[in-house]
Amino acid sequence: MVQPPADRVVQEPRQHTNGKLNRARMLACALEIIDREGIEKLSMRRLARALEYDPMSLYRYAANKAALLDGIAETVLSRLTVDSADPDWAAQLRAVARDYRRLALTHPNVVPLLVTRPLATPLALRPRGTLRPLEAILTLLTRAGFSSAEALHIYRALFGLLHGHVLNELQELVDNPDETDDLLRLGLHRLPIGEFPLLRGLASTLATYDGAAELERGLDILLTGLTTTLVPHP
């Protein structure tokens, strides 16, 4: 293989350079590229170069880039654990939420595939692997005594919270990290105080953002509301 000039060398995922090509290996390599460089840098040609295979050989496992992205979403969501036999449904949903946040923070560049991409695809046409957490949570909740419709409502409420949370947490950017004053660190001093007095006044709160604690607070509110308004039927 001809190497590019020294100043253009890209470090390829070493663990993918030997062995027989299969779908799992291809998706693992694609996920690593996205983790390192972002979705926009992934292409069939880029992936083939990392795997040291001809690009045409990849189409046996993914018909196009869209199918490849769906496979990556399935790969990540397959790591989301749902114990549908847990007798404490609220505790299990809390565990699922924490696990989902962990996956999102581990693979932040994949979050658009998990949160926004499914919105463009009808439910029944989404990759089956991405629907398994839904089926598992519906099983958990119907076993707990909720009707199927109530279980779906709870699932939607939970993942609505999770999607909003991970997007917010990943966007908590600091403008000037070396500043000691919270207003300056966040760049809020640029906002006219006459128009945004409350937002500017939250500088210290915003600067001490704790994603884990924020998620727990959101779950407290959500699960308390659900247990108050929806009662499982024995």
Side-chain angles (χ1 to χ4, degrees):
M1 175 181 290
V2 178
Q3 296 294 326
D7 61 347
R8 295 179 58 191
V9 170
V10 177
Q11 291 184 349
E12 302 291 3
R14 294 182 181 179
Q15 65 267 41
H16 302 297
T17 56
N18 293 300
K20 184 177 180 181
L21 182 64
N22 54 46
R23 187 172 186 271
R25 180 172 166 235
M26 179 187 73
L27 292 176
C29 185
L31 175 59
E32 185 171 340
I33 290 173
I34 290 179
D35 283 343
R36 289 158 56 94
E37 303 173 35
I39 294 175
E40 66 281 356
K41 296 295 184 180
L42 178 67
S43 66
M44 302 300 269
R45 186 174 296 279
R46 171 77 178 82
L47 179 57
R49 187 168 70 249
L51 289 165
E52 296 187 351
Y53 271 85
D54 183 272
M56 295 304 298
S57 64
L58 304 187
Y59 290 98
R60 177 180 178 184
Y61 306 102
N64 47 43
K65 185 176 179 180
L68 179 63
L69 295 178
D70 286 341
I72 294 167
E74 286 186 288
T75 297
V76 173
L77 285 176
S78 70
R79 302 170 187 174
L80 182 64
T81 302
V82 182
D83 180 3
S84 58
D86 191 337
D88 189 340
W89 65 270
Q92 182 58 211
L93 291 185
R94 192 179 290 271
V96 169
R98 293 168 179 164
D99 201 22
Y100 188 89
R101 174 179 177 267
R102 177 188 60 79
L103 287 172
L105 296 182
T106 302
H107 305 285
N109 291 335
V110 180
V111 166
L113 301 182
L114 305 180
V115 176
T116 60
R117 183 174 172 80
L119 298 177
T121 308
L123 191 64
L125 297 181
R126 295 176 194 173
R128 292 183 182 179
T130 64
L131 297 176
R132 291 195 178 98
L134 168 57
E135 184 69 18
I137 290 175
L138 293 177
T139 301
L140 168 74
L141 294 171
T142 53
R143 283 179 176 174
F146 292 102
S147 69
S148 296
E150 289 171 334
L152 181 60
H153 173 74
I154 294 172
Y155 171 86
R156 286 172 172 166
L158 175 65
F159 275 82
L161 169 68
L162 286 176
H163 290 165
H165 174 82
V166 298
L167 289 175
N168 283 333
E169 183 167 0
L170 292 174
Q171 291 173 8
E172 287 289 327
L173 302 179
V174 174
D175 187 33
N176 297 301
D178 294 330
E179 287 285 353
T180 56
D181 182 88
D182 293 333
L183 198 70
L184 298 177
R185 287 184 69 233
L186 298 175
L188 294 178
H189 62 288
R190 298 190 182 93
L191 300 179
I193 192 169
E195 293 183 49
F196 303 97
L198 296 177
L199 186 56
R200 285 175 55 121
L202 285 169
S204 295
T205 302
L206 291 168
T208 56
Y209 178 86
D210 183 332
E214 193 77 14
L215 177 61
E216 294 300 324
R217 178 60 176 152
L219 289 170
D220 288 343
I221 295 170
L222 174 66
L223 294 175
T224 298
L226 289 173
T227 53
T228 301
T229 59
L230 293 176
V231 179
H233 309 290

